[in-house]
């Protein structure tokens, strides 16, 4: 007899910010196929990552644990595949499982994908055109555009599967990660128009800790020739050069997104054509958010909203009514337990998130979390972003740049003292003005420090003990 447990199609892109999706109110593009998921299911408006960087977020999603527990704190870390992951638990429970596309958790030894009947992944970051793929350990070059290829392989696996057993497909796109190479089909999109600029493109980083001004991910200054792909026109004013670079960047980024959208449509069409849509949980998310010229930046890493926030769309006709929006706070460490809960499979006791299945009715139940813990470890590595940890509540955000190793070579110009930031998201949603030193917020600071301490202990992390702290 056929196994009627629900299937899961988990589609994750790399660096796709929710403010580049029309279902999230994008001012700069349309994503009709991603919108299909939102229209038939639920859009989560407050989904956050616990560390806004590729490899660590992927480890958090697979294991349902924070990075100090799964050991993947940085881009250079590898996931030790002997850990419990939700795909392994599904596989043990009789699911057919596949992982296709960007893995980025290491290769060889214990770092290859585990818990999958089938895997076919890009090595490392992978290429946009004619990528090398690792098909169950065998490397070969596959001709074509990576987003199309990953979808083709995913659909091929779906067609060849055993129709009598439920499945988990993890379809992970490389796009729209830097260096934002579009395919031929979308190369001319936006050719004759200007994409609207974000309000904070010309942020001057005043009224914040030193970290914002120190970061080297400015559209105006830090993009490479490879990123821009065209020589900068001569004779532009400084502001006009920034505007020109923003257009170069955002147009290629959105062209990559357009290809994802088309390819998500192909997967949705397949589920419709095969009569699988009613029995399949479809998720679209990204490993973190991204700065789309916001604060004058590209990239991510910071605990600021554009980077912290993940898109998360979920279609599941058995339990979610069409067109729902949920503002309850959910985290990447919750995904594993949520899927297991929906499938009736026990979670592992090591997992540290919470199943948000109770939120699928639309509202967060009494007692649902109202704060979250965040930590970015890669001090000064790539883009010179300071390590930090912090707490976000429904209204406020407290960030601590803990000055880990600020005495290391090359950082002589940086402050060696830890610094705090506090944002009141109700009054300052763009996070342009830290009120940490404002006496009116003294009580809020005190409460948030206590909450940060509570959350840090609860997840088993430890504060960084700065030498200058008494
Ligand atoms: Ca990423």
């Amino acid at each position: 007899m056929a196994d009627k447990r629900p299937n899961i199609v988990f589609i994750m892109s790399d660096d796709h910010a929710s403010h580049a999706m029309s279902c999230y109110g994008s001012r700069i593009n349309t994503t009709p196929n991603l919108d299909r998921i939102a229209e038939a299911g639920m859009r989560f408006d407050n989904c956050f990552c616990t560390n806004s960087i590729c490899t660590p977020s992927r480890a958090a999603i697979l294991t349902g644990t924070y990075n100090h527990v799964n050991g993947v704190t940085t881009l250079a870390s590898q996931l030790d595949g002997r850990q419990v992951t939700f795909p392994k638990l599904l596989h043990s429970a009789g699911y057919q499982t596949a992982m296709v596309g960007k893995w980025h958790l290491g290769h060889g030894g214990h770092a290859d994908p585990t818990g999958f009947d089938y895997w076919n992944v890009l090595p490392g970051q992978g290429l946009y055109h004619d990528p090398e793929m690792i098909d169950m350990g065998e490397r070969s070059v596959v001709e074509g555009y990576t987003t199309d290829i990953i979808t083709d392989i995913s659909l091929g696996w779906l067609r060849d599967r055993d129709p009598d057993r439920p499945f988990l497909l993890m379809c992970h796109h490389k796009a729209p990660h830097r260096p934002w190479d579009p395919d031929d089909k979308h190369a001319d999109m936006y050719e004759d128009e200007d994409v609207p600029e974000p309000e904070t493109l010309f942020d001057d980083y005043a009224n914040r800790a030193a970290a914002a001004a120190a970061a080297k991910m400015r559209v105006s200054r830090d993009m490479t020739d490879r990123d821009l792909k065209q020589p900068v026109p001569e004779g532009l004013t400084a502001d006009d050069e920034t505007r020109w670079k923003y257009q170069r960047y955002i147009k290629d980024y959105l062209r990559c997104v357009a290809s994802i959208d088309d390819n998500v449509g192909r997967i949705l069409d397949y589920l419709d054509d095969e009569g699988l849509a009613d029995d399949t949980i479809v998720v679209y998310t990204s490993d973190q958010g991204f700065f789309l010229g916001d604060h004058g930046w590209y990239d991510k890493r910071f605990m600021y909203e554009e980077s912290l926030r993940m898109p998360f769309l979920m279609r599941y006709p058995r339990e979610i009514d069409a067109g729902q929006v949920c503002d309850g706070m959910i985290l990447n460490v919750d995904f594993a337990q949520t899927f297991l809960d929906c499938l009736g499979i026990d979670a592992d006791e090591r997992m540290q998130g919470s199943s948000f299945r109770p939120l699928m009715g639309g509202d967060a139940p009494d007692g649902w979390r109202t704060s979250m813990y965040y930590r970015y470890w890669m001090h000064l590595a790539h883009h010179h972003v300071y390590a930090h940890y912090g707490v976000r509540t429904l209204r406020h955000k407290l960030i601590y740049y803990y000055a880990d190793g600020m005495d290391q070579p090359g950082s002589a110009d940086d402050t060696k003292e830890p610094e705090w930031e506090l944002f009141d998201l109700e009054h300052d949603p763009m996070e342009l003005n830290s009120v940490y030193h404002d006496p009116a917020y003294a009580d809020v600071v005190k409460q948030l420090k206590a909450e940060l301490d509570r959350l840090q202990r609860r997840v088993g992390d430890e504060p960084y003990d700065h030498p200058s702290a008494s």
Side-chain angles (χ1 to χ4, degrees), residues 296-344:
W297 290 332
Y298 58 97
D299 217 75
K300 54 264 183 177
R301 303 162 197 272
F302 276 97
M303 196 185 169
Y304 298 147
E305 291 291 275
E306 297 87 349
S307 156
L308 178 69
R309 188 179 298 281
M310 304 166 77
F312 194 91
L313 306 176
M314 188 173 198
R315 186 181 82 177
Y316 184 29
R318 287 192 194 177
E319 297 194 14
I320 298 175
D321 292 338
Q324 299 291 300
V325 175
C326 179
D327 64 2
M329 192 187 283
I330 66 169
L331 309 177
N332 58 354
V333 290
D334 295 336
F335 299 176
Q337 280 152 279
T338 302
F339 295 144
L340 291 163
D341 191 8
C342 289
L343 274 41

Side-chain angles (χ1 to χ4, degrees), residues 131-189:
E132 187 180 37
M133 301 281 297
I134 309 175
D135 182 348
M136 301 288 284
E138 295 292 322
R139 290 182 181 241
S140 63
V141 171
V142 182
E143 288 183 19
Y145 187 66
T146 294
T147 308
D148 298 332
I149 292 167
I150 290 168
T151 307
D152 291 344
I153 295 170
S154 296
L155 287 170
W157 182 80
L158 285 173
R159 289 189 192 99
D160 291 343
R161 79 189 194 285
D162 174 359
D164 291 330
R165 284 197 296 139
F167 63 85
L168 162 70
L169 168 66
M170 302 190 83
C171 173
H172 290 193
H173 291 296
K174 168 190 175 56
H177 191 279
R178 197 182 184 195
W180 316 296
D181 292 340
D183 63 353
D184 293 341
K185 184 179 168 191
H186 300 94
D188 296 329
M189 283 181 82

Side-chain angles (χ1 to χ4, degrees), residues 59-85:
I61 288 167
L62 286 167
T63 64
T65 61
Y66 287 80
N67 295 141
H68 60 278
V69 171
N70 58 51
V72 184
T73 54
T74 73
L75 271 183
S77 312
Q78 296 200 332
L79 178 68
D80 186 327
R82 291 170 292 190
Q83 301 182 59
V84 175
T85 64

Side-chain angles (χ1 to χ4, degrees), residues 14-15 53-54 58 177 287-288 300:
D14 193 339
D15 295 357
I53 191 78
C54 306
R58 287 156 198 273
H177 191 279
D287 56 352
Q288 8 68 207
K300 54 264 183 177

Side-chain angles (χ1 to χ4, degrees), residues 190-300:
Y190 307 102
E191 194 59 34
D192 300 316
E193 58 186 291
D194 283 341
V195 178
E197 295 169 1
E199 282 183 51
T200 56
L201 180 61
F202 293 96
D203 193 348
D204 63 2
Y205 313 111
N207 306 312
R208 269 151 287 171
K216 294 177 179 170
M217 45 199 243
R218 294 188 197 174
V219 172
S220 63
R221 184 191 65 191
D222 300 322
M223 305 196 88
T224 65
D225 292 347
R226 177 69 181 86
D227 294 329
L228 295 169
K229 306 177 189 80
Q230 292 174 20
V232 180
E234 292 179 17
L236 297 178
T237 64
D239 282 359
D240 282 349
E241 183 174 317
T242 298
R243 292 193 168 96
W244 183 87
K245 288 177 175 174
Y246 168 75
Q247 294 296 328
R248 280 299 310 127
Y249 156 47
I250 201 67
K251 287 180 180 180
D252 278 347
Y253 180 95
L254 296 177
R255 289 161 179 154
C256 292
V257 169
S259 170
I260 292 174
D261 189 73
D262 285 357
N263 278 292
V264 169
R266 294 173 62 205
I267 301 254
L268 297 179
D269 289 346
Y270 175 83
L271 297 176
D272 287 345
D273 293 346
E274 296 295 312
L276 292 165
D278 285 346
D279 298 316
T280 301
I281 295 168
V282 176
V283 165
Y284 181 82
T285 187
S286 172
D287 56 352
Q288 8 68 207
F290 212 67
F291 296 107
L292 305 178
D294 315 285
H295 296 290
W297 290 332
Y298 58 97
D299 217 75
K300 54 264 183 177

